[in-house]
Amino acid sequence: MAVSVAAAVKTIINRSPFISEMLIQEVISFSNLAKSIQPKVESLHGDKVNTAAIVMAIRRYAEELKASQKEIGSGKIDYEIQMKTNIYDVNFSRDDSFIPKLQKLYGIVRPEQGDFLNITMGTHEITLSVSENHRAEVDELMKDQQVVHRYSDLVALTIVFHGDFLQTPGIVYLAIRKLAWENINIIEIVSTMNVLTFVITREDSHRAYEALEAFLDEEL
């Protein structure tokens, strides 16, 4: 289905956090970008589009992106970043008969003593992220399950917000975009009411911490 030139430009830009970031930072030529994405714009639009129209659409969307970033930083939100190392992450096919066994983890893992535990249940899969010192118990618990992947020696970077986090749209998106800009791969994302956690590899942890801290200081 054909879309407007403006909609086509937004779709293409939104697919790349790098282009969005460069537009906000004003370090990319609208003309060069327009020429680069012109074939994709024409494909989505369903007809030929001149470069000038694409440039205009890029210019307008760049202003929208910059305005939305300013809105995010308009209200003060306090935060703290916490880091937990030695995280074991295992993803396996969902088996409803297994779900009652998860209760055993709550008797083993002690978050109040510094342990990490997150259980994410999707329609088709379940993911466990837990402190690696409990790996043996976790593996024994799910020895008959169909494992999709396992990762060890991961790091959990947790942002704890104090303020009107939920009523401030765009923070999660911008944080993820910032990590993507730094070429940091995210293994898991965990979000609760005022807490946002990224589970990443150990080698990316320091860069991710610095990137998130810089982003939060600049934008909040």
Side-chain angles (χ1 to χ4, degrees):
M1 181 178 178
V3 299
S4 67
V5 173
V9 167
K10 285 185 179 182
T11 297
I12 294 165
I13 290 175
N14 287 340
R15 289 173 181 168
S16 172
F18 309 105
I19 294 177
S20 300
E21 186 75 15
M22 287 189 287
L23 286 173
I24 291 171
Q25 298 298 327
E26 299 181 345
V27 293
I28 189 170
S29 163
F30 291 165
S31 178
N32 289 343
L33 177 59
K35 293 175 183 176
S36 174
I37 67 174
Q38 188 168 4
K40 294 180 181 178
V41 172
E42 291 177 341
S43 176
L44 290 173
H45 181 60
D47 200 356
K48 292 291 184 181
V49 181
N50 64 57
T51 306
I54 300 175
V55 168
M56 180 62 70
I58 293 172
R59 190 185 307 277
R60 288 175 177 169
Y61 191 44
E63 292 302 318
E64 288 182 27
L65 289 172
K66 286 186 283 187
S68 65
Q69 189 128 325
K70 288 179 181 178
E71 288 175 7
I72 290 172
S74 62
K76 181 61 178 176
I77 299 177
D78 294 325
Y79 72 92
E80 58 181 306
I81 302 179
Q82 302 170 353
M83 179 186 290
K84 287 187 181 293
T85 58
N86 300 317
I87 303 298
Y88 176 50
D89 186 270
V90 57
N91 177 269
F92 53 99
S93 298
R94 176 164 177 160
D95 176 359
D96 288 346
S97 66
F98 173 79
I99 293 176
K101 297 180 182 180
L102 293 173
Q103 185 64 35
K104 295 181 181 179
L105 287 176
Y106 295 104
I108 298 170
V109 183
R110 303 292 184 184
E112 70 277 6
Q113 297 178 10
D115 284 346
F116 182 87
L117 173 63
N118 180 76
I119 302 172
T120 304
M121 282 191 277
T123 304
H124 303 291
E125 297 177 343
I126 298 174
T127 297
L128 301 180
S129 299
V130 63
S131 296
E132 196 140 13
N133 58 304
H134 296 295
R135 176 171 181 164
E137 295 101 316
V138 170
D139 285 347
E140 176 64 23
L141 190 66
M142 48 170 298
K143 60 184 178 182
D144 298 323
Q145 304 306 305
Q146 184 179 348
V147 175
V148 178
H149 73 236
R150 300 177 195 262
Y151 292 103
S152 58
D153 198 26
L154 300 177
V155 172
L157 279 179
T158 298
I159 308 171
V160 181
F161 293 97
H162 306 283
D164 205 7
F165 167 51
L166 289 178
Q167 299 303 317
T168 308
I171 291 181
V172 175
Y173 162 71
L174 289 176
I176 294 172
R177 192 183 70 188
K178 185 68 174 179
L179 293 178
W181 178 256
E182 297 295 334
N183 199 32
I184 294 167
N185 186 44
I186 301 170
I187 307 298
E188 300 286 351
I189 300 175
V190 183
S191 179
T192 59
M193 192 72 75
N194 287 295
V195 177
L196 177 62
T197 298
F198 298 105
V199 179
I200 58 178
T201 61
R202 182 183 290 272
E203 52 265 35
D204 286 337
S205 60
H206 291 295
R207 287 191 302 116
Y209 186 99
E210 292 173 356
L212 289 174
E213 187 174 47
F215 155 70
L216 292 166
D217 284 343
E218 291 168 3
E219 306 303 334
L220 302 186

Coordinates of all heavy atoms in Angstrom, one line a residue, residues 75-125:
G75 N 11.2 17.9 32.1 CA 10.9 17.6 33.5 C 12.0 16.9 34.2 O 12.6 15.9 33.6
K76 N 12.3 17.2 35.4 CA 13.4 16.6 36.1 C 13.1 15.2 36.6 O 12.1 15.1 37.3 CB 13.9 17.5 37.3 CG 15.0 16.9 38.0 CD 16.3 16.8 37.2 CE 17.5 16.3 38.0 NZ 18.7 16.1 37.1
I77 N 13.9 14.2 36.2 CA 13.7 12.9 36.6 C 15.0 12.4 37.2 O 16.0 12.3 36.5 CB 13.3 11.9 35.5 CG1 11.9 12.4 34.9 CG2 13.2 10.5 36.0 CD1 11.5 11.6 33.7
D78 N 15.0 12.1 38.5 CA 16.2 11.6 39.2 C 16.4 10.1 38.9 O 15.4 9.4 38.6 CB 16.2 11.8 40.7 CG 16.2 13.3 41.0 OD1 16.9 14.1 40.3 OD2 15.5 13.7 42.0
Y79 N 17.6 9.7 38.9 CA 17.8 8.3 38.6 C 19.1 7.8 39.2 O 19.9 8.6 39.7 CB 17.9 8.1 37.1 CG 19.2 8.6 36.5 CD1 20.4 7.8 36.4 CD2 19.3 10.0 36.1 CE1 21.6 8.3 35.9 CE2 20.5 10.5 35.7 CZ 21.6 9.7 35.6 OH 22.8 10.2 35.1
E80 N 19.3 6.5 39.3 CA 20.5 5.9 39.7 C 20.7 4.7 38.8 O 19.8 4.0 38.4 CB 20.6 5.5 41.1 CG 19.5 4.6 41.6 CD 19.6 4.3 43.1 OE1 20.6 3.8 43.5 OE2 18.5 4.4 43.8
I81 N 22.0 4.4 38.5 CA 22.3 3.2 37.6 C 23.0 2.2 38.5 O 24.0 2.5 39.2 CB 23.2 3.6 36.5 CG1 22.6 4.7 35.6 CG2 23.5 2.3 35.6 CD1 23.4 5.1 34.4
Q82 N 22.5 1.0 38.5 CA 23.1 -0.1 39.2 C 23.6 -1.2 38.3 O 23.0 -1.4 37.2 CB 22.1 -0.7 40.2 CG 21.5 0.3 41.2 CD 20.3 -0.3 41.9 OE1 19.8 -1.4 41.6 NE2 19.7 0.5 42.9
M83 N 24.7 -1.8 38.6 CA 25.3 -2.8 37.8 C 25.5 -4.1 38.6 O 26.0 -4.1 39.7 CB 26.7 -2.4 37.2 CG 27.3 -3.4 36.4 SD 29.0 -3.0 35.8 CE 28.7 -1.6 34.7
K84 N 25.0 -5.2 38.0 CA 25.2 -6.6 38.6 C 25.9 -7.4 37.6 O 25.5 -7.5 36.4 CB 23.9 -7.2 39.0 CG 23.3 -6.6 40.3 CD 22.1 -7.4 40.8 CE 21.4 -6.7 42.0 NZ 22.3 -6.8 43.1
T85 N 27.0 -8.1 38.0 CA 27.7 -8.9 37.1 C 27.4 -10.4 37.3 O 26.6 -10.8 38.2 CB 29.2 -8.7 37.3 OG1 29.5 -9.0 38.7 CG2 29.6 -7.3 37.0
N86 N 28.0 -11.2 36.5 CA 27.8 -12.7 36.6 C 26.3 -13.1 36.5 O 25.8 -13.8 37.4 CB 28.4 -13.2 37.9 CG 29.9 -12.9 38.0 OD1 30.6 -13.1 37.0 ND2 30.4 -12.5 39.1
I87 N 25.7 -12.7 35.4 CA 24.3 -13.1 35.1 C 24.2 -14.2 34.1 O 24.9 -14.2 33.1 CB 23.5 -11.9 34.6 CG1 23.6 -10.7 35.5 CG2 22.1 -12.2 34.3 CD1 23.1 -10.9 36.9
Y88 N 23.4 -15.2 34.5 CA 23.2 -16.3 33.6 C 21.8 -16.2 33.0 O 20.8 -16.0 33.7 CB 23.2 -17.6 34.4 CG 22.9 -18.9 33.7 CD1 23.5 -19.2 32.5 CD2 22.0 -19.8 34.2 CE1 23.2 -20.4 31.8 CE2 21.7 -21.0 33.6 CZ 22.3 -21.3 32.4 OH 22.1 -22.5 31.8
D89 N 21.7 -16.3 31.6 CA 20.5 -16.1 30.9 C 20.1 -17.3 30.1 O 21.0 -17.7 29.3 CB 20.6 -14.8 30.0 CG 19.3 -14.4 29.4 OD1 19.0 -14.9 28.3 OD2 18.5 -13.6 30.0
V90 N 19.0 -17.8 30.3 CA 18.6 -19.0 29.5 C 17.1 -18.8 29.0 O 16.3 -18.4 29.7 CB 18.7 -20.3 30.3 CG1 17.9 -20.2 31.6 CG2 18.3 -21.5 29.5
N91 N 17.0 -19.1 27.7 CA 15.7 -19.0 27.0 C 15.2 -20.3 26.5 O 16.0 -21.1 25.9 CB 15.8 -18.0 25.9 CG 14.6 -17.8 25.1 OD1 14.4 -18.5 24.1 ND2 13.8 -16.9 25.5
F92 N 14.0 -20.7 26.8 CA 13.5 -22.0 26.4 C 12.0 -22.0 26.0 O 11.3 -21.0 26.4 CB 13.7 -23.0 27.5 CG 13.1 -22.6 28.9 CD1 11.9 -23.1 29.3 CD2 13.8 -21.8 29.7 CE1 11.4 -22.8 30.5 CE2 13.3 -21.4 30.9 CZ 12.1 -21.9 31.3
S93 N 11.6 -22.9 25.2 CA 10.2 -23.0 24.8 C 9.3 -23.1 25.9 O 9.5 -23.8 26.9 CB 10.0 -24.2 23.8 OG 10.9 -24.1 22.7
R94 N 8.2 -22.4 25.8 CA 7.2 -22.4 26.9 C 6.5 -23.7 27.0 O 6.0 -24.3 26.1 CB 6.2 -21.3 26.7 CG 5.1 -21.3 27.8 CD 4.3 -20.0 27.8 NE 3.2 -20.0 28.8 CZ 2.6 -19.0 29.3 NH1 3.0 -17.8 28.9 NH2 1.7 -19.1 30.2
D95 N 6.5 -24.2 28.3 CA 5.8 -25.5 28.6 C 5.0 -25.2 29.9 O 5.6 -25.0 30.9 CB 6.8 -26.6 28.8 CG 6.1 -27.9 29.3 OD1 4.9 -27.9 29.4 OD2 6.8 -28.9 29.5
D96 N 3.7 -25.1 29.8 CA 2.9 -24.7 30.9 C 3.0 -25.6 32.1 O 2.8 -25.2 33.3 CB 1.4 -24.5 30.5 CG 1.2 -23.3 29.6 OD1 2.1 -22.4 29.6 OD2 0.1 -23.2 29.0
S97 N 3.3 -26.8 31.8 CA 3.5 -27.8 33.0 C 4.8 -27.4 33.8 O 4.9 -27.9 34.9 CB 3.6 -29.2 32.4 OG 4.8 -29.4 31.7
F98 N 5.7 -26.7 33.2 CA 6.9 -26.3 33.9 C 6.7 -25.1 34.8 O 7.4 -24.9 35.8 CB 8.0 -25.9 32.8 CG 9.3 -25.4 33.4 CD1 10.2 -26.2 34.0 CD2 9.5 -24.0 33.4 CE1 11.4 -25.7 34.5 CE2 10.7 -23.5 33.9 CZ 11.6 -24.3 34.5
I99 N 5.7 -24.2 34.5 CA 5.5 -23.0 35.2 C 5.4 -23.1 36.7 O 6.0 -22.4 37.5 CB 4.3 -22.2 34.7 CG1 4.6 -21.8 33.2 CG2 3.9 -21.0 35.5 CD1 3.4 -21.1 32.5
P100 N 4.7 -24.1 37.3 CA 4.7 -24.3 38.7 C 6.1 -24.5 39.3 O 6.3 -24.2 40.5 CB 3.8 -25.5 38.9 CG 2.9 -25.6 37.7 CD 3.8 -25.1 36.6
K101 N 7.0 -25.1 38.6 CA 8.4 -25.3 39.1 C 9.1 -24.0 39.3 O 10.1 -24.0 40.1 CB 9.2 -26.1 38.1 CG 8.6 -27.5 37.9 CD 9.5 -28.3 36.9 CE 8.9 -29.7 36.6 NZ 9.8 -30.4 35.6
L102 N 8.7 -22.9 38.7 CA 9.4 -21.6 38.9 C 9.3 -21.1 40.3 O 10.2 -20.4 40.8 CB 8.8 -20.6 37.9 CG 9.0 -20.8 36.4 CD1 8.2 -19.8 35.6 CD2 10.5 -20.7 36.1
Q103 N 8.3 -21.6 41.0 CA 8.2 -21.2 42.4 C 9.4 -21.6 43.2 O 9.7 -20.9 44.2 CB 6.9 -21.9 43.0 CG 6.6 -21.4 44.4 CD 6.2 -19.9 44.5 OE1 5.6 -19.4 43.6 NE2 6.7 -19.3 45.6
K104 N 10.0 -22.7 42.8 CA 11.2 -23.1 43.6 C 12.3 -22.1 43.5 O 13.1 -22.0 44.5 CB 11.7 -24.5 43.0 CG 10.8 -25.6 43.1 CD 11.3 -26.9 42.5 CE 10.4 -28.1 42.7 NZ 10.9 -29.3 42.1
L105 N 12.4 -21.3 42.5 CA 13.5 -20.3 42.4 C 13.3 -19.3 43.4 O 14.3 -18.7 43.9 CB 13.4 -19.6 41.0 CG 13.9 -20.5 39.8 CD1 13.7 -19.7 38.5 CD2 15.3 -20.8 40.0
Y106 N 12.1 -18.9 43.8 CA 11.9 -17.9 44.8 C 12.4 -18.4 46.2 O 12.7 -17.6 47.1 CB 10.5 -17.5 44.9 CG 10.0 -16.8 43.7 CD1 9.2 -17.5 42.7 CD2 10.3 -15.5 43.3 CE1 8.8 -16.9 41.6 CE2 9.9 -14.9 42.2 CZ 9.1 -15.6 41.3 OH 8.7 -15.0 40.1
G107 N 12.6 -19.7 46.4 CA 13.1 -20.2 47.6 C 14.6 -20.3 47.6 O 15.3 -20.5 48.6
I108 N 15.2 -20.2 46.4 CA 16.6 -20.3 46.2 C 17.3 -19.0 46.0 O 18.4 -18.7 46.7 CB 16.9 -21.2 45.0 CG1 16.3 -22.6 45.1 CG2 18.4 -21.3 44.7 CD1 16.4 -23.5 43.9
V109 N 16.8 -18.2 45.2 CA 17.4 -16.9 44.8 C 17.0 -15.8 45.8 O 15.8 -15.7 46.1 CB 17.0 -16.4 43.4 CG1 17.7 -15.1 43.0 CG2 17.4 -17.5 42.4
R110 N 17.9 -15.0 46.3 CA 17.7 -14.0 47.4 C 18.0 -12.6 46.9 O 19.2 -12.2 47.1 CB 18.5 -14.4 48.6 CG 18.2 -15.8 49.2 CD 16.9 -15.9 49.8 NE 16.6 -17.2 50.4 CZ 15.5 -17.6 50.9 NH1 14.4 -16.8 50.9 NH2 15.4 -18.8 51.5
P111 N 17.1 -11.9 46.2 CA 17.4 -10.6 45.8 C 17.8 -9.6 46.9 O 18.6 -8.7 46.8 CB 16.1 -10.1 45.1 CG 15.4 -11.4 44.7 CD 15.8 -12.4 45.8
E112 N 17.2 -9.9 48.1 CA 17.5 -9.0 49.3 C 18.9 -9.2 49.7 O 19.5 -8.3 50.5 CB 16.5 -9.3 50.4 CG 16.7 -10.7 51.1 CD 16.0 -11.8 50.4 OE1 15.5 -11.6 49.3 OE2 16.0 -12.9 51.0
Q113 N 19.6 -10.2 49.3 CA 21.0 -10.5 49.6 C 21.9 -10.2 48.4 O 23.1 -10.5 48.4 CB 21.2 -11.9 50.0 CG 20.5 -12.2 51.3 CD 20.6 -13.7 51.8 OE1 21.5 -14.4 51.2 NE2 19.8 -14.1 52.7
G114 N 21.3 -9.5 47.4 CA 22.1 -9.1 46.2 C 22.0 -10.0 45.0 O 22.6 -9.7 44.0
D115 N 21.2 -11.1 45.1 CA 21.0 -11.9 43.9 C 20.2 -11.2 42.9 O 19.4 -10.3 43.2 CB 20.3 -13.2 44.3 CG 21.2 -14.2 45.0 OD1 22.4 -14.0 45.0 OD2 20.7 -15.2 45.6
F116 N 20.3 -11.6 41.6 CA 19.5 -11.1 40.5 C 18.6 -12.2 40.0 O 19.0 -13.3 39.8 CB 20.4 -10.6 39.4 CG 19.6 -10.0 38.3 CD1 19.3 -8.7 38.3 CD2 19.3 -10.8 37.1 CE1 18.6 -8.1 37.2 CE2 18.6 -10.2 36.1 CZ 18.2 -8.9 36.1
L117 N 17.3 -11.8 39.8 CA 16.4 -12.8 39.2 C 15.3 -12.1 38.4 O 14.7 -11.1 38.9 CB 15.7 -13.6 40.3 CG 14.5 -14.5 39.9 CD1 15.0 -15.6 38.9 CD2 13.8 -15.1 41.1
N118 N 15.1 -12.5 37.2 CA 14.0 -12.0 36.4 C 13.5 -13.2 35.6 O 14.2 -13.9 35.0 CB 14.5 -10.9 35.4 CG 13.3 -10.4 34.6 OD1 12.5 -9.6 35.1 ND2 13.3 -10.8 33.3
I119 N 12.2 -13.3 35.6 CA 11.5 -14.3 34.8 C 10.5 -13.6 33.8 O 9.7 -12.8 34.2 CB 10.7 -15.2 35.7 CG1 11.6 -15.9 36.8 CG2 9.9 -16.3 34.9 CD1 10.8 -16.6 37.8
T120 N 10.7 -13.8 32.6 CA 9.9 -13.3 31.5 C 9.1 -14.4 30.8 O 9.8 -15.3 30.2 CB 10.7 -12.4 30.5 OG1 11.4 -11.4 31.2 CG2 9.8 -11.8 29.5
M121 N 7.8 -14.3 30.8 CA 7.0 -15.3 30.1 C 6.3 -14.8 28.9 O 5.5 -13.9 29.1 CB 6.0 -16.0 31.1 CG 6.6 -16.9 32.1 SD 5.4 -17.9 33.0 CE 5.1 -16.7 34.3
G122 N 6.7 -15.3 27.8 CA 6.0 -14.8 26.5 C 5.0 -15.9 26.1 O 4.8 -16.9 26.8
T123 N 4.4 -15.7 25.0 CA 3.4 -16.6 24.4 C 4.1 -17.9 24.1 O 3.5 -19.0 24.3 CB 2.8 -16.0 23.2 OG1 2.2 -14.7 23.5 CG2 1.7 -16.9 22.7
H124 N 5.3 -17.9 23.6 CA 5.9 -19.1 23.1 C 7.2 -19.5 23.8 O 7.7 -20.6 23.7 CB 6.2 -19.0 21.6 CG 5.0 -18.8 20.8 ND1 4.0 -19.7 20.6 CD2 4.6 -17.6 20.1 CE1 3.1 -19.1 19.8 NE2 3.4 -17.9 19.5
E125 N 7.8 -18.5 24.6 CA 9.1 -18.8 25.2 C 9.1 -18.2 26.7 O 8.3 -17.4 27.0 CB 10.2 -18.1 24.5 CG 10.4 -18.7 23.1 CD 11.5 -18.0 22.3 OE1 11.9 -16.9 22.7 OE2 11.9 -18.6 21.3

